Amino acid sequence: MRKLNVFLVAGIFITFIIHALMASLRLFGAETDTVKTIAFICAGLICAHVAVTVILTVQTLHARKKSGAGYFRSNLMFWARRISGLTILIPLLMHIFIFSGTGDDAFRLVTFTTGRFISQIFLVVTIAFHGLINIRPLMISLGAKSPKLFSADLIFIISVILLIAAAAFSFYYLRWTSI
């Protein structure tokens, strides 16, 4: 189950990068295809990741209860990882609602208000936080010889992608407010 989760996370990472870059180009005004397809693949992987994580968390809680030793203080990073993942879900659902089109091929959007803009920046921040605290365990799970080195590389990549996404949201918001 844990190996499955590692592959799901790797898939999420790859599809997220593609989606974020393609969608950012679209928000900057470029015509891009496959944004919706990649988004659906990424959403499916996220749903599977959430399901597997819930199962693993329930198993952990069951083992904790069975052993009689909680060690809550010692497991704060475990809980921070779970809570940061849950924190992503609200702005992610808002993202899906805000950027779901009309169903035809034209990209249409309801007014991109200040509240919607803030929710999308919050999405960027929550993804960044969740990614930062989970990179090292991911690298260890993938068997990286030097998890610290690879973690720094991935953190840099995630930072650049999220900076581009935040800039695209900002640019798009500024275009809406100037209309």
Side-chain angles (χ1 to χ4, degrees):
M1 187 76 70
R2 292 187 192 286
K3 283 289 185 194
L4 170 62
N5 209 20
V6 169
F7 288 115
L8 289 171
V9 170
I12 290 168
F13 184 72
I14 292 166
T15 57
F16 168 73
I17 288 173
I18 295 167
H19 173 69
L21 290 175
M22 298 290 285
S24 293
L25 288 173
R26 180 174 269 182
L27 291 179
F28 281 124
E31 289 298 319
T32 59
D33 293 332
T34 71
V35 172
K36 190 182 259 186
T37 304
I38 294 295
F40 283 130
I41 293 168
C42 191
L45 292 169
I46 289 169
C47 289
H49 172 61
V50 168
V52 169
T53 302
V54 166
I55 291 168
L56 291 172
T57 302
V58 168
Q59 289 174 349
T60 300
L61 291 174
H62 180 69
R64 177 187 163 256
K65 185 177 180 182
K66 192 174 177 181
S67 73
Y71 305 115
F72 181 77
R73 183 89 175 119
S74 300
N75 293 315
L76 286 178
M77 281 305 290
F78 171 84
W79 290 110
R81 289 183 176 105
R82 297 319 186 263
I83 292 168
S84 70
L86 286 174
T87 305
I88 291 173
L89 294 180
I90 294 170
L92 179 62
L93 290 173
M94 292 175 79
H95 179 78
I96 292 167
F97 173 74
I98 291 168
F99 288 102
S100 58
T102 59
D104 58 6
D105 289 336
F107 177 64
R108 291 188 178 85
L109 185 67
V110 294
T111 307
F112 199 59
T113 62
T114 302
R116 290 176 177 186
F117 171 66
I118 291 169
S119 73
Q120 297 314 287
I121 296 301
F122 186 59
L123 176 64
V124 169
V125 170
T126 57
I127 290 172
F129 184 75
H130 187 64
L132 288 174
I133 66 173
N134 284 292
I135 289 287
R136 186 166 166 76
L138 176 64
M139 291 295 94
I140 292 168
S141 296
L142 289 172
K145 299 286 184 207
S146 177
K148 199 173 197 176
L149 178 66
F150 286 114
S151 296
D153 292 343
L154 284 179
I155 288 169
F156 177 76
I157 292 168
I158 290 171
S159 298
V160 169
I161 299 298
L162 291 174
L163 177 65
I164 292 168
F169 287 134
S170 299
F171 178 79
Y172 197 67
Y173 173 71
L174 291 173
R175 279 186 24 201
W176 268 101
T177 57
S178 67
I179 291 176

